[in-house]
Amino acid sequence: MRKIYQDYLIRDWQESDRTAAARVIEQVLQEYGLPWQPREADLDVIEVESAYLNVGGQFWVVEHHGKIVGTAAYYPIKRGNKGVEIRKMYLIPEVRGQGLGKYLLQELETVIAAQGYQEIWIETASLLKEAVQLYETNGYQRTTGVETQRCDRVYFKILSI
């Protein structure tokens, strides 16, 4: 996958992105006072191959002038009906507020729907106010069943077939 949004390159993750992608996620979590958990909730960004690529998911990075400034990913889950979970959708502060998050979410939805999935699930934390607003204004419904310790909200969306 390779897309351009304004002057951002959104592309598939490569092995050489591991450290930079992890740093983006760690930076954003720390900004909001949430713990970076490389052996628990964030193990998937350390082990992208087994957590995403080998199970039918995808992991994308967002580049700006050669620097990784964001991430977005999804993988199939057993929850729901033909469901996937969007994970690791993070943007560093300097690139927020330009519609990039909305664009990433729409691109994820398009790719997910094209692969025949019917539901998208997202877990997040109330502290991530921009993320909560993004999901709520794009048709995601709040539900119950948080599975990730640092999260306190779960959303889902049924894709139109």
Short mmCIF file of all heavy atoms in Angstrom, two decimals, residues 18-78:
data_model
loop_
_atom_site.label_atom_id
_atom_site.label_comp_id
_atom_site.label_asym_id
_atom_site.label_seq_id
_atom_site.Cartn_x
_atom_site.Cartn_y
_atom_site.Cartn_z
N ARG A 18 10.74 -0.50 12.47
CA ARG A 18 10.34 -0.98 13.80
C ARG A 18 10.63 0.04 14.91
O ARG A 18 9.74 0.39 15.69
CB ARG A 18 11.04 -2.31 14.10
CG ARG A 18 10.49 -3.01 15.34
CD ARG A 18 11.15 -4.36 15.63
NE ARG A 18 11.50 -5.15 14.47
CZ ARG A 18 10.67 -6.00 13.85
NH1 ARG A 18 9.45 -6.17 14.29
NH2 ARG A 18 11.08 -6.68 12.79
N THR A 19 11.85 0.52 15.00
CA THR A 19 12.22 1.43 16.10
C THR A 19 11.52 2.77 15.97
O THR A 19 10.97 3.28 16.96
CB THR A 19 13.75 1.62 16.12
OG1 THR A 19 14.35 0.33 16.31
CG2 THR A 19 14.18 2.54 17.25
N ALA A 20 11.49 3.36 14.78
CA ALA A 20 10.86 4.67 14.60
C ALA A 20 9.36 4.61 14.85
O ALA A 20 8.79 5.51 15.47
CB ALA A 20 11.15 5.20 13.20
N ALA A 21 8.70 3.54 14.40
CA ALA A 21 7.26 3.40 14.64
C ALA A 21 6.98 3.25 16.13
O ALA A 21 6.05 3.86 16.67
CB ALA A 21 6.71 2.21 13.86
N ALA A 22 7.79 2.46 16.81
CA ALA A 22 7.62 2.28 18.26
C ALA A 22 7.82 3.61 18.99
O ALA A 22 7.09 3.92 19.93
CB ALA A 22 8.60 1.23 18.78
N ARG A 23 8.78 4.40 18.55
CA ARG A 23 9.03 5.70 19.19
C ARG A 23 7.84 6.64 19.04
O ARG A 23 7.52 7.39 19.96
CB ARG A 23 10.29 6.35 18.61
CG ARG A 23 11.54 5.79 19.21
CD ARG A 23 12.75 6.68 18.91
NE ARG A 23 13.96 5.98 19.28
CZ ARG A 23 14.95 5.71 18.43
NH1 ARG A 23 14.89 6.10 17.18
NH2 ARG A 23 16.01 5.05 18.84
N VAL A 24 7.21 6.64 17.87
CA VAL A 24 6.02 7.48 17.65
C VAL A 24 4.93 7.11 18.66
O VAL A 24 4.35 7.97 19.33
CB VAL A 24 5.48 7.34 16.20
CG1 VAL A 24 4.06 7.89 16.07
CG2 VAL A 24 6.41 8.03 15.22
N ILE A 25 4.67 5.83 18.78
CA ILE A 25 3.62 5.35 19.69
C ILE A 25 3.99 5.68 21.14
O ILE A 25 3.16 6.19 21.90
CB ILE A 25 3.36 3.85 19.46
CG1 ILE A 25 2.78 3.67 18.06
CG2 ILE A 25 2.44 3.29 20.54
CD1 ILE A 25 2.79 2.25 17.54
N GLU A 26 5.22 5.42 21.50
CA GLU A 26 5.67 5.72 22.87
C GLU A 26 5.53 7.22 23.16
O GLU A 26 5.04 7.61 24.23
CB GLU A 26 7.12 5.28 23.05
CG GLU A 26 7.66 5.55 24.43
CD GLU A 26 9.10 5.09 24.61
OE1 GLU A 26 9.79 4.81 23.61
OE2 GLU A 26 9.53 5.01 25.77
N GLN A 27 5.92 8.07 22.21
CA GLN A 27 5.85 9.52 22.39
C GLN A 27 4.41 9.98 22.62
O GLN A 27 4.14 10.77 23.52
CB GLN A 27 6.43 10.24 21.16
CG GLN A 27 6.30 11.75 21.21
CD GLN A 27 6.74 12.42 19.92
OE1 GLN A 27 7.45 11.85 19.10
NE2 GLN A 27 6.29 13.65 19.73
N VAL A 28 3.49 9.49 21.81
CA VAL A 28 2.09 9.91 21.94
C VAL A 28 1.49 9.41 23.25
O VAL A 28 0.80 10.15 23.95
CB VAL A 28 1.25 9.46 20.72
CG1 VAL A 28 -0.22 9.77 20.93
CG2 VAL A 28 1.77 10.13 19.44
N LEU A 29 1.77 8.17 23.61
CA LEU A 29 1.26 7.65 24.87
C LEU A 29 1.76 8.49 26.04
O LEU A 29 0.99 8.87 26.94
CB LEU A 29 1.67 6.19 25.05
CG LEU A 29 0.96 5.18 24.14
CD1 LEU A 29 1.64 3.82 24.22
CD2 LEU A 29 -0.51 5.07 24.48
N GLN A 30 3.05 8.81 26.05
CA GLN A 30 3.62 9.60 27.14
C GLN A 30 3.03 11.01 27.17
O GLN A 30 2.80 11.57 28.25
CB GLN A 30 5.14 9.65 27.02
CG GLN A 30 5.78 8.32 27.36
CD GLN A 30 7.28 8.31 27.19
OE1 GLN A 30 7.87 9.20 26.60
NE2 GLN A 30 7.91 7.26 27.72
N GLU A 31 2.74 11.57 25.99
CA GLU A 31 2.12 12.90 25.92
C GLU A 31 0.81 12.93 26.70
O GLU A 31 0.47 13.92 27.33
CB GLU A 31 1.88 13.24 24.44
CG GLU A 31 1.07 14.48 24.18
CD GLU A 31 0.64 14.60 22.73
OE1 GLU A 31 1.08 13.81 21.87
OE2 GLU A 31 -0.17 15.51 22.46
N TYR A 32 0.07 11.83 26.65
CA TYR A 32 -1.23 11.76 27.32
C TYR A 32 -1.15 11.09 28.69
O TYR A 32 -2.19 10.83 29.31
CB TYR A 32 -2.23 11.02 26.43
CG TYR A 32 -2.67 11.85 25.25
CD1 TYR A 32 -1.99 11.78 24.04
CD2 TYR A 32 -3.75 12.72 25.35
CE1 TYR A 32 -2.37 12.54 22.96
CE2 TYR A 32 -4.14 13.50 24.28
CZ TYR A 32 -3.44 13.41 23.08
OH TYR A 32 -3.83 14.18 22.01
N GLY A 33 0.05 10.80 29.15
CA GLY A 33 0.21 10.20 30.47
C GLY A 33 -0.17 8.73 30.53
O GLY A 33 -0.45 8.19 31.59
N LEU A 34 -0.14 8.07 29.38
CA LEU A 34 -0.46 6.64 29.31
C LEU A 34 0.85 5.85 29.24
O LEU A 34 1.83 6.30 28.67
CB LEU A 34 -1.33 6.34 28.10
CG LEU A 34 -2.73 6.96 28.14
CD1 LEU A 34 -3.40 6.86 26.78
CD2 LEU A 34 -3.57 6.28 29.20
N PRO A 35 0.85 4.65 29.80
CA PRO A 35 2.10 3.88 29.83
C PRO A 35 2.45 3.24 28.48
O PRO A 35 1.57 2.76 27.77
CB PRO A 35 1.81 2.79 30.87
CG PRO A 35 0.33 2.60 30.81
CD PRO A 35 -0.24 3.97 30.50
N TRP A 36 3.73 3.27 28.16
CA TRP A 36 4.27 2.52 27.03
C TRP A 36 4.53 1.12 27.55
O TRP A 36 5.24 0.95 28.55
CB TRP A 36 5.55 3.19 26.55
CG TRP A 36 6.47 2.38 25.70
CD1 TRP A 36 7.72 1.95 26.03
CD2 TRP A 36 6.25 1.90 24.37
NE1 TRP A 36 8.28 1.25 24.99
CE2 TRP A 36 7.40 1.20 23.96
CE3 TRP A 36 5.18 1.99 23.48
CZ2 TRP A 36 7.52 0.61 22.71
CZ3 TRP A 36 5.30 1.40 22.23
CH2 TRP A 36 6.45 0.72 21.86
N GLN A 37 3.92 0.11 26.92
CA GLN A 37 4.00 -1.26 27.44
C GLN A 37 4.52 -2.22 26.36
O GLN A 37 3.76 -2.99 25.78
CB GLN A 37 2.61 -1.71 27.91
CG GLN A 37 2.05 -0.83 29.02
CD GLN A 37 0.61 -1.14 29.34
OE1 GLN A 37 -0.21 -1.33 28.46
NE2 GLN A 37 0.31 -1.20 30.62
N PRO A 38 5.84 -2.19 26.10
CA PRO A 38 6.40 -3.01 25.02
C PRO A 38 6.32 -4.52 25.25
O PRO A 38 6.51 -5.29 24.32
CB PRO A 38 7.86 -2.55 24.93
CG PRO A 38 8.15 -1.95 26.26
CD PRO A 38 6.85 -1.38 26.77
N ARG A 39 6.01 -4.95 26.47
CA ARG A 39 5.86 -6.39 26.73
C ARG A 39 4.39 -6.79 26.89
O ARG A 39 4.10 -7.95 27.13
CB ARG A 39 6.65 -6.77 27.98
CG ARG A 39 8.14 -6.68 27.75
CD ARG A 39 8.92 -7.45 28.80
NE ARG A 39 10.30 -7.59 28.37
CZ ARG A 39 11.28 -6.79 28.77
NH1 ARG A 39 11.03 -5.81 29.59
NH2 ARG A 39 12.51 -6.99 28.34
N GLU A 40 3.49 -5.80 26.78
CA GLU A 40 2.06 -6.08 26.96
C GLU A 40 1.28 -5.48 25.79
O GLU A 40 1.33 -6.00 24.69
CB GLU A 40 1.59 -5.52 28.31
CG GLU A 40 2.29 -6.18 29.51
CD GLU A 40 2.10 -5.41 30.79
OE1 GLU A 40 1.07 -4.73 30.94
OE2 GLU A 40 2.98 -5.47 31.66
N ALA A 41 0.58 -4.36 26.05
CA ALA A 41 -0.31 -3.77 25.05
C ALA A 41 0.41 -3.31 23.78
O ALA A 41 -0.21 -3.20 22.72
CB ALA A 41 -1.10 -2.60 25.65
N ASP A 42 1.70 -3.03 23.88
CA ASP A 42 2.45 -2.54 22.71
C ASP A 42 3.40 -3.57 22.12
O ASP A 42 4.19 -3.25 21.24
CB ASP A 42 3.21 -1.26 23.09
CG ASP A 42 2.26 -0.18 23.56
OD1 ASP A 42 1.30 0.11 22.83
OD2 ASP A 42 2.45 0.35 24.67
N LEU A 43 3.30 -4.80 22.58
CA LEU A 43 4.13 -5.87 22.03
C LEU A 43 3.90 -6.02 20.53
O LEU A 43 4.83 -6.33 19.78
CB LEU A 43 3.84 -7.19 22.76
CG LEU A 43 4.65 -8.40 22.31
CD1 LEU A 43 6.15 -8.16 22.54
CD2 LEU A 43 4.19 -9.64 23.05
N ASP A 44 2.69 -5.73 20.08
CA ASP A 44 2.38 -5.88 18.65
C ASP A 44 3.20 -4.95 17.76
O ASP A 44 3.46 -5.27 16.61
CB ASP A 44 0.87 -5.72 18.38
CG ASP A 44 0.31 -4.39 18.84
OD1 ASP A 44 0.88 -3.74 19.74
OD2 ASP A 44 -0.74 -4.00 18.29
N VAL A 45 3.62 -3.80 18.25
CA VAL A 45 4.45 -2.92 17.43
C VAL A 45 5.91 -3.37 17.42
O VAL A 45 6.66 -3.04 16.52
CB VAL A 45 4.31 -1.43 17.86
CG1 VAL A 45 5.10 -1.13 19.11
CG2 VAL A 45 4.77 -0.51 16.75
N ILE A 46 6.28 -4.17 18.39
CA ILE A 46 7.62 -4.75 18.41
C ILE A 46 7.64 -6.00 17.52
O ILE A 46 8.62 -6.29 16.85
CB ILE A 46 8.02 -5.13 19.87
CG1 ILE A 46 7.89 -3.93 20.81
CG2 ILE A 46 9.40 -5.75 19.92
CD1 ILE A 46 8.73 -2.74 20.48
N GLU A 47 6.52 -6.72 17.50
CA GLU A 47 6.41 -7.96 16.74
C GLU A 47 5.37 -7.83 15.62
O GLU A 47 4.41 -8.60 15.53
CB GLU A 47 6.04 -9.10 17.69
CG GLU A 47 7.08 -9.33 18.76
CD GLU A 47 6.73 -10.45 19.72
OE1 GLU A 47 5.62 -11.02 19.63
OE2 GLU A 47 7.59 -10.76 20.57
N VAL A 48 5.56 -6.84 14.76
CA VAL A 48 4.60 -6.54 13.69
C VAL A 48 4.34 -7.75 12.79
O VAL A 48 3.20 -8.02 12.41
CB VAL A 48 5.06 -5.32 12.86
CG1 VAL A 48 4.21 -5.13 11.61
CG2 VAL A 48 5.05 -4.06 13.71
N GLU A 49 5.38 -8.48 12.49
CA GLU A 49 5.22 -9.62 11.58
C GLU A 49 4.20 -10.62 12.12
O GLU A 49 3.25 -10.99 11.44
CB GLU A 49 6.55 -10.33 11.32
CG GLU A 49 7.58 -9.47 10.62
CD GLU A 49 8.45 -8.64 11.55
OE1 GLU A 49 8.14 -8.51 12.76
OE2 GLU A 49 9.44 -8.09 11.07
N SER A 50 4.39 -11.06 13.36
CA SER A 50 3.49 -12.08 13.91
C SER A 50 2.15 -11.49 14.33
O SER A 50 1.12 -12.16 14.25
CB SER A 50 4.14 -12.81 15.08
OG SER A 50 4.47 -11.91 16.12
N ALA A 51 2.12 -10.24 14.76
CA ALA A 51 0.87 -9.65 15.25
C ALA A 51 -0.04 -9.18 14.12
O ALA A 51 -1.26 -9.21 14.26
CB ALA A 51 1.19 -8.46 16.17
N TYR A 52 0.52 -8.77 13.00
CA TYR A 52 -0.28 -8.22 11.90
C TYR A 52 -0.09 -8.97 10.57
O TYR A 52 -1.03 -9.51 10.02
CB TYR A 52 0.06 -6.73 11.68
CG TYR A 52 -0.33 -5.88 12.86
CD1 TYR A 52 0.60 -5.58 13.86
CD2 TYR A 52 -1.62 -5.39 13.00
CE1 TYR A 52 0.24 -4.82 14.96
CE2 TYR A 52 -1.98 -4.62 14.09
CZ TYR A 52 -1.05 -4.34 15.06
OH TYR A 52 -1.41 -3.60 16.15
N LEU A 53 1.12 -8.94 10.08
CA LEU A 53 1.37 -9.39 8.71
C LEU A 53 1.10 -10.87 8.51
O LEU A 53 0.56 -11.27 7.47
CB LEU A 53 2.81 -9.05 8.30
CG LEU A 53 3.24 -7.59 8.53
CD1 LEU A 53 4.66 -7.38 8.03
CD2 LEU A 53 2.27 -6.61 7.89
N ASN A 54 1.43 -11.71 9.48
CA ASN A 54 1.26 -13.15 9.32
C ASN A 54 -0.16 -13.64 9.61
O ASN A 54 -0.44 -14.81 9.43
CB ASN A 54 2.24 -13.91 10.24
CG ASN A 54 3.69 -13.65 9.87
OD1 ASN A 54 3.99 -13.14 8.80
ND2 ASN A 54 4.59 -13.99 10.77
N VAL A 55 -1.05 -12.74 10.04
CA VAL A 55 -2.42 -13.14 10.37
C VAL A 55 -3.46 -12.44 9.48
O VAL A 55 -4.65 -12.48 9.77
CB VAL A 55 -2.74 -12.90 11.87
CG1 VAL A 55 -1.84 -13.75 12.75
CG2 VAL A 55 -2.66 -11.43 12.23
N GLY A 56 -3.00 -11.79 8.42
CA GLY A 56 -3.93 -11.15 7.50
C GLY A 56 -4.21 -9.68 7.79
O GLY A 56 -5.11 -9.09 7.20
N GLY A 57 -3.43 -9.09 8.67
CA GLY A 57 -3.58 -7.67 8.96
C GLY A 57 -2.59 -6.83 8.17
O GLY A 57 -1.83 -7.35 7.34
N GLN A 58 -2.62 -5.55 8.44
CA GLN A 58 -1.68 -4.63 7.82
C GLN A 58 -1.21 -3.63 8.87
O GLN A 58 -1.94 -3.32 9.81
CB GLN A 58 -2.33 -3.86 6.66
CG GLN A 58 -2.70 -4.74 5.49
CD GLN A 58 -3.19 -3.92 4.30
OE1 GLN A 58 -2.72 -2.83 4.03
NE2 GLN A 58 -4.16 -4.48 3.59
N PHE A 59 0.00 -3.12 8.67
CA PHE A 59 0.56 -2.09 9.54
C PHE A 59 1.16 -1.04 8.62
O PHE A 59 1.99 -1.35 7.76
CB PHE A 59 1.64 -2.68 10.45
CG PHE A 59 2.02 -1.79 11.60
CD1 PHE A 59 1.57 -2.06 12.88
CD2 PHE A 59 2.82 -0.67 11.41
CE1 PHE A 59 1.90 -1.24 13.95
CE2 PHE A 59 3.17 0.15 12.46
CZ PHE A 59 2.71 -0.12 13.74
N TRP A 60 0.69 0.19 8.76
CA TRP A 60 1.15 1.29 7.91
C TRP A 60 1.94 2.30 8.73
O TRP A 60 1.71 2.47 9.93
CB TRP A 60 -0.03 2.04 7.30
CG TRP A 60 -0.96 1.21 6.47
CD1 TRP A 60 -0.74 -0.04 5.94
CD2 TRP A 60 -2.29 1.57 6.07
NE1 TRP A 60 -1.85 -0.46 5.24
CE2 TRP A 60 -2.81 0.51 5.30
CE3 TRP A 60 -3.08 2.68 6.29
CZ2 TRP A 60 -4.08 0.54 4.74
CZ3 TRP A 60 -4.35 2.72 5.74
CH2 TRP A 60 -4.84 1.66 4.98
N VAL A 61 2.83 2.98 8.06
CA VAL A 61 3.51 4.13 8.65
C VAL A 61 3.22 5.35 7.81
O VAL A 61 2.93 5.25 6.61
CB VAL A 61 5.04 3.92 8.79
CG1 VAL A 61 5.35 2.79 9.76
CG2 VAL A 61 5.70 3.69 7.45
N VAL A 62 3.27 6.50 8.47
CA VAL A 62 3.08 7.78 7.80
C VAL A 62 4.42 8.50 7.85
O VAL A 62 4.99 8.69 8.92
CB VAL A 62 2.00 8.64 8.52
CG1 VAL A 62 1.81 9.96 7.79
CG2 VAL A 62 0.68 7.87 8.63
N GLU A 63 4.90 8.87 6.66
CA GLU A 63 6.19 9.57 6.56
C GLU A 63 5.97 11.00 6.14
O GLU A 63 5.09 11.30 5.32
CB GLU A 63 7.04 8.92 5.45
CG GLU A 63 7.93 7.83 5.88
CD GLU A 63 8.88 7.41 4.76
OE1 GLU A 63 9.31 8.25 3.94
OE2 GLU A 63 9.17 6.21 4.68
N HIS A 64 6.78 11.89 6.70
CA HIS A 64 6.78 13.29 6.29
C HIS A 64 8.24 13.70 6.12
O HIS A 64 8.99 13.70 7.10
CB HIS A 64 6.08 14.16 7.35
CG HIS A 64 5.85 15.55 6.93
ND1 HIS A 64 6.46 16.61 7.54
CD2 HIS A 64 5.08 16.06 5.94
CE1 HIS A 64 6.07 17.73 6.95
NE2 HIS A 64 5.23 17.42 5.98
N HIS A 65 8.64 13.98 4.90
CA HIS A 65 10.04 14.32 4.58
C HIS A 65 11.00 13.27 5.13
O HIS A 65 12.03 13.59 5.73
CB HIS A 65 10.40 15.71 5.10
CG HIS A 65 9.52 16.80 4.56
ND1 HIS A 65 9.38 17.06 3.21
CD2 HIS A 65 8.69 17.67 5.19
CE1 HIS A 65 8.53 18.05 3.03
NE2 HIS A 65 8.09 18.43 4.22
N GLY A 66 10.64 11.99 4.94
CA GLY A 66 11.51 10.89 5.32
C GLY A 66 11.47 10.48 6.79
O GLY A 66 12.13 9.53 7.18
N LYS A 67 10.68 11.18 7.60
CA LYS A 67 10.59 10.86 9.03
C LYS A 67 9.22 10.22 9.31
O LYS A 67 8.19 10.70 8.83
CB LYS A 67 10.72 12.15 9.85
CG LYS A 67 10.58 11.92 11.34
CD LYS A 67 10.59 13.25 12.10
CE LYS A 67 10.29 12.99 13.57
NZ LYS A 67 9.97 14.22 14.29
N ILE A 68 9.22 9.15 10.09
CA ILE A 68 7.96 8.52 10.45
C ILE A 68 7.27 9.37 11.52
O ILE A 68 7.85 9.64 12.58
CB ILE A 68 8.17 7.07 10.93
CG1 ILE A 68 8.66 6.24 9.73
CG2 ILE A 68 6.88 6.48 11.51
CD1 ILE A 68 8.95 4.80 10.04
N VAL A 69 6.04 9.80 11.21
CA VAL A 69 5.29 10.70 12.09
C VAL A 69 3.97 10.09 12.54
O VAL A 69 3.21 10.72 13.29
CB VAL A 69 5.04 12.06 11.40
CG1 VAL A 69 6.36 12.78 11.13
CG2 VAL A 69 4.24 11.90 10.12
N GLY A 70 3.67 8.89 12.07
CA GLY A 70 2.41 8.27 12.46
C GLY A 70 2.37 6.80 12.08
O GLY A 70 3.20 6.31 11.31
N THR A 71 1.37 6.11 12.66
CA THR A 71 1.16 4.70 12.39
C THR A 71 -0.34 4.41 12.34
O THR A 71 -1.14 5.17 12.89
CB THR A 71 1.78 3.82 13.50
OG1 THR A 71 1.18 4.14 14.76
CG2 THR A 71 3.29 4.01 13.59
N ALA A 72 -0.70 3.33 11.71
CA ALA A 72 -2.08 2.85 11.68
C ALA A 72 -2.03 1.38 11.29
O ALA A 72 -1.23 0.98 10.45
CB ALA A 72 -2.92 3.64 10.68
N ALA A 73 -2.90 0.58 11.92
CA ALA A 73 -2.85 -0.86 11.66
C ALA A 73 -4.22 -1.49 11.94
O ALA A 73 -5.08 -0.88 12.57
CB ALA A 73 -1.79 -1.50 12.55
N TYR A 74 -4.35 -2.72 11.46
CA TYR A 74 -5.53 -3.52 11.82
C TYR A 74 -5.16 -4.99 11.69
O TYR A 74 -4.21 -5.35 11.01
CB TYR A 74 -6.73 -3.20 10.93
CG TYR A 74 -6.61 -3.76 9.53
CD1 TYR A 74 -7.08 -5.03 9.23
CD2 TYR A 74 -6.01 -3.02 8.52
CE1 TYR A 74 -6.94 -5.56 7.96
CE2 TYR A 74 -5.88 -3.53 7.25
CZ TYR A 74 -6.34 -4.81 6.97
OH TYR A 74 -6.19 -5.33 5.71
N TYR A 75 -5.94 -5.82 12.39
CA TYR A 75 -5.82 -7.27 12.22
C TYR A 75 -7.18 -7.91 12.48
O TYR A 75 -8.03 -7.32 13.16
CB TYR A 75 -4.73 -7.88 13.08
CG TYR A 75 -4.77 -7.62 14.57
CD1 TYR A 75 -5.90 -7.88 15.36
CD2 TYR A 75 -3.63 -7.16 15.21
CE1 TYR A 75 -5.89 -7.67 16.72
CE2 TYR A 75 -3.61 -6.95 16.58
CZ TYR A 75 -4.75 -7.21 17.33
OH TYR A 75 -4.73 -7.00 18.68
N PRO A 76 -7.38 -9.10 11.92
CA PRO A 76 -8.65 -9.82 12.14
C PRO A 76 -8.78 -10.24 13.60
O PRO A 76 -7.78 -10.55 14.25
CB PRO A 76 -8.55 -11.05 11.25
CG PRO A 76 -7.35 -10.88 10.40
CD PRO A 76 -6.49 -9.83 11.02
N ILE A 77 -10.01 -10.23 14.10
CA ILE A 77 -10.29 -10.65 15.47
C ILE A 77 -11.48 -11.60 15.48
O ILE A 77 -12.24 -11.67 14.51
CB ILE A 77 -10.56 -9.44 16.39
CG1 ILE A 77 -11.73 -8.59 15.85
CG2 ILE A 77 -9.30 -8.60 16.58
CD1 ILE A 77 -12.19 -7.48 16.77
N LYS A 78 -11.65 -12.29 16.58
CA LYS A 78 -12.78 -13.21 16.73
C LYS A 78 -14.04 -12.50 17.19
O LYS A 78 -15.13 -12.98 17.05
CB LYS A 78 -12.42 -14.32 17.71
CG LYS A 78 -11.36 -15.26 17.15
CD LYS A 78 -11.02 -16.37 18.13
CE LYS A 78 -10.05 -17.38 17.59
NZ LYS A 78 -8.93 -16.94 16.82
#
